[in-house]
Amino acid sequence: MKYCPRCERTKPLDAFARSRARSTGISPYCKPCYNLVIKENRARNHGSSRNYLLKLRYGITADEADRLLAAQGGICVICLRHPASHTDHDHDTGLVRGMLCFKCNNGLGQFGDEIRRLEEAADYLEGRSSHSRGLWLEFGATVVLGQSRRHLETLRGVKRADHLGSARHYKLRLKYGITEAEADALVEFQRGLCAVCSDREPEHIDHCHDTTAVRGALCLGCNSGMGLLADDPGTLRRAAAYLEGTLVTEVPVAGGGMRLSFTLPDVDPAEVADGGWERVRDADVRHRKAMRDAAWEAEWCFGGPFADPFARALTGGGG
């Protein structure tokens, strides 16, 4: 038994917090009182627990975080859809990069903060990735749907099974409209690697939620990351630019000073009214897609070193 001087009660030893600063290894306060003491000390020394945690984790104060959030117009700088509630930082340098919503912050983590994976995921969703090109060369389409599914099985010499099979077969038929043999053939077609990152073993069948067409087999990180970023190529490209350090910049303000800019065309975050971010986001995505299309067509379609019929077909150029 031990006496707690704060609540003035005698309690069993296991009711007391542990403390490495004490020779006994036990705090002088019981656990509820210890938590209150810690909270009071942080408020006295750092202003608040939030201020303490921000300085501990990211090296900024609560006031600095609030100013950054206000400079962003309160919106997540990647998706431009949800309020920013998480401080994001570079895990190598420790520098704060911006304020993000929960999904975008976790989406970057699922992709391992890898710019290449985010850009490849955007190409994959638009049917322009190396995986999409392989599907087009094999099936004449960038997704697995209809006859291309049966083609997968014939590549393996397996007869199509519509009704009978394992629990996995039943789940695949129910969720994605493909058989177990077709799923295995798709993984073999991808050489046992994720269709996006090509680094990890594919664990999940990915499909378009609108058309139900199967796009490929993905690893857990790429599948989860795309889901968190809403399977949206525009958001994925903004996320890649964010990690590159080209999405969020500072521009001068008339009369002096600087403000943040993170949209194309440039829009002052302070001038965006409530409910106005969707329009700004749509304009940004169209602008970035036009830039991407122009660069992609120049590289793949019109005499570039990688020009081929696949690129011309996707852009309506025939071939």
Side-chain angles (χ1 to χ4, degrees), residues 262-283:
F262 45 89
T263 55
L264 295 175
D266 175 47
V267 174
D268 186 347
E271 295 179 358
V272 180
D274 290 342
W277 279 108
E278 192 66 27
R279 176 184 55 81
V280 173
R281 183 188 180 283
D282 289 345

Side-chain angles (χ1 to χ4, degrees), residues 113-238:
D113 280 6
E114 295 182 30
I115 298 170
R116 177 190 66 83
R117 288 175 69 188
L118 287 161
E119 291 176 338
E120 187 71 13
D123 285 343
Y124 167 84
L125 288 170
E126 290 177 342
R128 296 179 174 184
S129 66
S130 56
H131 168 75
S132 305
R133 185 177 185 277
L135 288 177
W136 186 83
L137 290 173
E138 184 66 43
F139 308 123
T142 58
V143 293
V144 179
L145 188 65
Q147 290 299 319
S148 58
R149 297 204 311 259
R150 290 156 178 79
H151 189 177
L152 277 173
E153 289 196 353
T154 60
L155 289 176
R156 305 181 75 222
V158 178
K159 184 178 179 181
R160 180 174 172 82
D162 287 320
H163 302 291
L164 303 178
S166 64
R168 176 171 175 258
H169 171 87
Y170 174 78
K171 179 181 177 181
L172 288 167
R173 287 282 294 162
L174 183 65
K175 292 187 69 174
Y176 311 113
I178 65 174
T179 68
E180 187 172 20
E182 288 166 349
D184 292 339
L186 180 60
V187 172
E188 286 184 18
F189 176 79
Q190 296 176 193
R191 296 179 176 83
L193 296 173
C194 171
V196 169
C197 67
S198 299
D199 289 333
R200 299 162 181 81
E201 181 180 350
E203 305 170 59
H204 298 272
I205 298 296
D206 171 59
H207 73 296
C208 175
H209 295 274
D210 295 327
T211 66
T212 71
V214 171
R215 292 182 291 222
L218 306 182
C219 67
L220 176 61
C222 290
N223 189 59
S224 300
M226 289 203 320
L228 286 165
L229 297 176
D231 279 5
D232 182 2
T235 300
L236 285 158
R237 296 205 189 284
R238 285 183 59 83

